[in-house]
Amino acid sequence: MVIDFRNCGAKTNINPLRIKNQQVEIVKTYKYLGNIIDDKLSGSPNVDTLFKKLNKKMYFVRKLRSLKLSRNTLSTFYRCIIQSNFTFCLSNWYKLCTSADIKKLNKIVSCAKKLGCITTNLSDLYINCLDSKLKKIMENNNHPLHYKFSYLPSGRRLRSIPSRTNRYKNSFVLSAIRYRNLST
């Protein structure tokens, strides 16, 4: 995959990559550990796939609702089957999504809420995932990102990292630092 953020109309010629005299195929999207990565590093392909998958699983919530199960049972099913899919790598792909993508996924959350499930909106899930991942990284001295999170001399706030692009500002590291500094 060739990652190219330019918005030029004409395709740039990329010399084919060869490994052991075999040409490597250039792809637009790639599924890695359940997440779909595209050549623009946008979250839309991942959201589209997730939306389709979760819509299929909402069928079972509707069926359970028609059986008149309790609200707690419905909520437990929702958290185990649907919300767990939302939270898988949420801290990685959430900030890559457009507002239309977030709105699309929030339709599933609101539908589950209408069916009687106790739900958490997507932004709150993101904050919870971000916070738990940040705590794990800061507690583990051997984590590759541990050195990025250092406290200022006051010991209350994390040291902010300068960034030039919005893509880097929306990365996990800077989002986690911004969240931690706002919550203290």
Side-chain angles (χ1 to χ4, degrees), residues 17 31 53 74 85 99 146 155 159 181:
L17 178 64
K31 189 171 187 174
K53 182 194 303 184
L74 278 175
N85 282 280
S99 59
H146 179 77
R159 186 175 308 279
N181 288 343

Side-chain angles (χ1 to χ4, degrees), residues 28-29 36-39 41-50 101:
K28 296 278 183 197
T29 60
I36 298 175
I37 304 166
D38 68 342
D39 59 350
L41 292 183
S42 71
S44 295
N46 196 43
V47 168
D48 293 340
T49 305
L50 184 62
D101 291 336

Side-chain angles (χ1 to χ4, degrees), residues 5 26 49 56-57 60 74-75 87 137:
F5 301 118
I26 296 175
T49 305
K56 290 176 185 174
K57 292 180 180 189
F60 298 109
L74 278 175
S75 299
T87 56
I137 291 172

Side-chain angles (χ1 to χ4, degrees), residues 25-148:
E25 178 186 4
I26 296 175
V27 294
K28 296 278 183 197
T29 60
Y30 184 73
K31 189 171 187 174
Y32 183 70
L33 296 177
N35 284 324
I36 298 175
I37 304 166
D38 68 342
D39 59 350
K40 299 286 184 193
L41 292 183
S42 71
S44 295
N46 196 43
V47 168
D48 293 340
T49 305
L50 184 62
F51 184 75
K52 289 176 189 172
K53 182 194 303 184
L54 294 179
N55 257 338
K56 290 176 185 174
K57 292 180 180 189
M58 283 300 293
Y59 168 80
F60 298 109
V61 175
R62 289 182 189 92
K63 279 297 190 188
L64 291 174
R65 175 77 162 45
S66 70
L67 296 173
K68 300 194 184 335
L69 292 178
S70 71
R71 184 176 179 153
N72 287 338
T73 306
L74 278 175
S75 299
T76 302
F77 182 83
Y78 171 79
R79 277 192 311 275
C80 293
I81 304 301
I82 295 174
Q83 187 172 310
S84 63
N85 282 280
F86 274 132
T87 56
F88 179 70
C89 292
L90 183 65
S91 57
N92 294 340
W93 59 262
Y94 182 81
K95 284 291 190 170
L96 299 174
C97 297
T98 62
S99 59
D101 291 336
I102 301 299
K103 189 175 181 180
K104 189 176 186 178
L105 291 176
N106 276 327
K107 285 181 184 178
I108 292 175
V109 175
S110 64
C111 181
K113 191 172 190 172
K114 287 177 188 173
L115 291 171
C117 298
I118 300 168
T119 62
T120 307
N121 68 21
L122 206 54
S123 61
D124 290 341
L125 283 176
Y126 170 68
I127 294 296
N128 292 340
C129 288
L130 194 70
D131 190 42
S132 66
K133 189 57 135 174
L134 178 62
K135 285 178 184 174
K136 287 178 186 175
I137 291 172
M138 291 180 71
E139 290 171 359
N140 183 359
N141 292 338
N142 296 324
H143 194 282
L145 290 177
H146 179 77
Y147 76 96
K148 295 266 188 186

Side-chain angles (χ1 to χ4, degrees), residues 95 126 130 169-179:
K95 284 291 190 170
Y126 170 68
L130 194 70
K169 284 179 188 173
N170 290 332
S171 70
F172 166 76
V173 172
L174 291 181
S175 295
I177 290 171
R178 197 169 32 251
Y179 162 73

